[in-house]
Amino acid sequence: MPHLPPTPDRPGLHVSKPSPSDPATASAVCHCGARATATGDAQVKALVDGYTANHGPAHNRNGR
């Protein structure tokens, strides 16, 4: 699978964990301009939870 990090032109969330022994990494870009990156399983989980609660899908649900 290709590495497809989000960009301002293509907002979204990208999570990677190449192997069980490697730490997870993530990057997120929202169409509202918010950006975030994280390294480590706990930090990546927090980024995903925050992004889904406050950006991306949340903007679509609330019409903002």
Side-chain angles (χ1 to χ4, degrees):
M1 179 180 286
H3 181 69
L4 300 171
T7 66
D9 294 331
R10 210 178 63 244
L13 179 65
H14 180 263
V15 176
S16 177
K17 185 165 174 86
S19 76
S21 61
D22 288 336
T25 60
S27 59
V29 176
C30 184
H31 60 85
C32 74
R35 297 172 176 256
T37 60
T39 301
D41 296 358
Q43 291 83 4
V44 167
K45 182 180 181 329
L47 185 149
V48 170
D49 291 346
Y51 181 82
T52 56
N54 302 301
H55 296 285
H59 286 303
N60 293 336
R61 277 195 306 267
N62 298 328
R64 290 184 270 157

